[in-house]
Amino acid sequence: MPSTAFRPAEELKPDDVCAFLFPGTGSTGVPDLPALARTGPGAARAVADVLDAAQEGLPATGWPSLRTILLDDPAAYRDASRTPGVAQLCAYAASVAVDRALRAAGVHPGYAVGQSFGEIAALVSAGAFTIADGARMAASAVGVLARRGRGGGMALLEAGEDGARACIQAAGAPDVVVACLNAPTVTIVSGPDAPLEAVVAAARAAGTRAARLAVPYLSHHPAMAGADDEWYAMIRRLPQRPLEVPVHSPVRGRAYHDGDDLHRALADCIVGPVRLPDALRAVHAAGATVFTEAGPGDALCQCARLTVPGARTLAPLRDRPRHGRAGKAAPGVAPREEER
């Protein structure tokens, strides 16, 4: 029977404008797409259609059935995710599935913001690329990152950018850089394994919460120069379509337009730093009234609450409606260590 646990349209006011937020890689949990599919026949069709379309973009061998491990038999996810790239592809597919299920429920994006790897799903949401081509991009990106960024990783510090730099300096680890500013008090750093561990230790010694992320490669780091060009050459021939929704890039620091080479913009994300608060403030200033997590968890909704005072949020794979509408502005906390 369909679940009655979540009716996203009922959480909104008639004049609300949603900014869909697409998270990056790093989630080690299983996206709860079966629960999403149980919210109604429209959501069930949307989820299944997205998983089938994403599968079309993957090689015929070497990849599990996304429909099987995310929808029909989620218990198989853990074993399947041991194959490099599977967790990232599942995160991409889950983001697009949430996007399409929300639309089926009458909730449409007025804006889209993608965080790092999430920019692929954001541009698919906006109509610039097909779901299958987005899967092709995601699969090839993971291959390039794993090969070119091996021996490094990323860590989350519950500190602002200046505080993160102070931890890097205290650790004597100049090879570690600020990779992502997720919120005014949440920063992601990237670097080789040993220096990165030293920064985590220095942060903890200073009383700052810090944790390694489940991202087994460098990203948003100067050492990845060249990896961006390699990936760009792999994806540049995939057709680019006109944007149907404004997409604000935390890497470019502005909204994309149809004159942009969006393949190049995506490739720039491999090296360039992410500044999510600027993008969140920009879409809020442009008219977004509700930040909506298009993906597993609610990490980006938490970032929105930390960045925009009084931010209203929806997280379909985390929230269940309480009393009232999406006007709740629960205190934000740092994203969980498995999410970025």
Side-chain angles (χ1 to χ4, degrees), residues 141-282:
V142 170
V144 171
L145 288 166
R147 185 174 64 258
R148 300 288 292 261
R150 70 163 69 93
M154 308 182 82
L156 180 148
L157 309 183
E158 287 194 6
E161 185 171 2
D162 289 344
R165 294 189 190 283
C167 292
I168 292 170
Q169 184 174 12
D175 289 342
V176 176
V177 303
V178 170
C180 310
L181 183 62
N182 280 3
T185 56
V186 182
T187 304
I188 305 295
V189 295
S190 178
D193 285 327
L196 187 63
E197 289 292 348
V199 171
V200 170
R204 290 171 175 168
T208 298
R209 289 180 60 188
R212 285 290 295 265
L213 299 179
V215 181
Y217 46 71
L218 286 174
S219 188
H220 309 291
H221 193 285
M224 295 299 285
D228 52 343
D229 295 331
E230 179 181 347
W231 187 44
Y232 176 65
M234 298 169 70
I235 66 174
R236 62 182 299 184
R237 290 180 176 81
L238 297 175
Q240 176 179 325
R241 302 174 177 182
L243 291 162
E244 300 168 1
V245 175
V247 178
H248 284 251
S249 169
V251 175
R252 286 281 175 98
R254 61 170 175 81
Y256 291 132
H257 54 74
D258 288 327
D260 284 325
D261 178 350
L262 296 178
H263 308 82
R264 182 69 252 178
L266 286 171
D268 289 347
C269 295
I270 288 179
V271 179
V274 174
R275 296 187 176 278
L276 184 61
D278 291 344
L280 297 176
R281 294 186 186 108

Side-chain angles (χ1 to χ4, degrees), residues 5-334:
F6 186 65
R7 292 289 184 267
E10 296 176 5
E11 294 286 284
L12 302 176
K13 301 174 183 177
D15 59 348
D16 272 330
V17 178
C18 289
F20 281 17
L21 309 180
F22 295 85
T25 62
S27 176
T28 57
V30 183
D32 195 2
L33 295 188
L36 182 63
R38 288 194 298 270
T39 62
R45 285 193 300 272
V47 170
D49 288 348
V50 166
L51 296 180
D52 290 345
Q55 195 78 42
E56 292 177 13
L58 300 180
T61 60
W63 292 92
S65 163
L66 296 180
R67 187 195 273 247
T68 296
I69 65 174
L70 288 177
L71 189 58
D72 299 334
D73 184 18
Y77 173 89
R78 187 167 299 278
D79 284 342
S81 66
R82 294 191 178 100
T83 299
V86 168
Q88 289 81 4
L89 260 295
C90 287
Y92 161 76
S95 284
V96 181
V98 173
D99 170 88
R100 296 302 195 263
L102 284 168
R103 293 170 189 250
V107 178
H108 297 269
Y111 302 91
V113 177
Q115 179 203 35
S116 184
F117 190 83
E119 287 216 24
I120 299 173
L123 288 169
V124 168
S125 170
F129 302 107
T130 67
I131 296 172
D133 281 346
R136 292 182 180 98
M137 291 178 171
S140 58
V142 170
V144 171
L145 288 166
R147 185 174 64 258
R148 300 288 292 261
R150 70 163 69 93
M154 308 182 82
L156 180 148
L157 309 183
E158 287 194 6
E161 185 171 2
D162 289 344
R165 294 189 190 283
C167 292
I168 292 170
Q169 184 174 12
D175 289 342
V176 176
V177 303
V178 170
C180 310
L181 183 62
N182 280 3
T185 56
V186 182
T187 304
I188 305 295
V189 295
S190 178
D193 285 327
L196 187 63
E197 289 292 348
V199 171
V200 170
R204 290 171 175 168
T208 298
R209 289 180 60 188
R212 285 290 295 265
L213 299 179
V215 181
Y217 46 71
L218 286 174
S219 188
H220 309 291
H221 193 285
M224 295 299 285
D228 52 343
D229 295 331
E230 179 181 347
W231 187 44
Y232 176 65
M234 298 169 70
I235 66 174
R236 62 182 299 184
R237 290 180 176 81
L238 297 175
Q240 176 179 325
R241 302 174 177 182
L243 291 162
E244 300 168 1
V245 175
V247 178
H248 284 251
S249 169
V251 175
R252 286 281 175 98
R254 61 170 175 81
Y256 291 132
H257 54 74
D258 288 327
D260 284 325
D261 178 350
L262 296 178
H263 308 82
R264 182 69 252 178
L266 286 171
D268 289 347
C269 295
I270 288 179
V271 179
V274 174
R275 296 187 176 278
L276 184 61
D278 291 344
L280 297 176
R281 294 186 186 108
V283 296
H284 180 67
T289 59
V290 178
F291 295 98
T292 304
E293 192 99 8
D298 65 347
L300 297 192
C301 283
Q302 295 182 60
C303 290
R305 291 193 292 267
L306 286 168
T307 301
V308 179
R312 296 165 54 220
T313 61
L314 281 176
L317 293 190
R318 178 81 62 167
D319 288 348
R320 292 297 181 265
R322 302 174 180 86
H323 299 293
R325 294 180 173 179
K328 56 184 177 293
V333 297

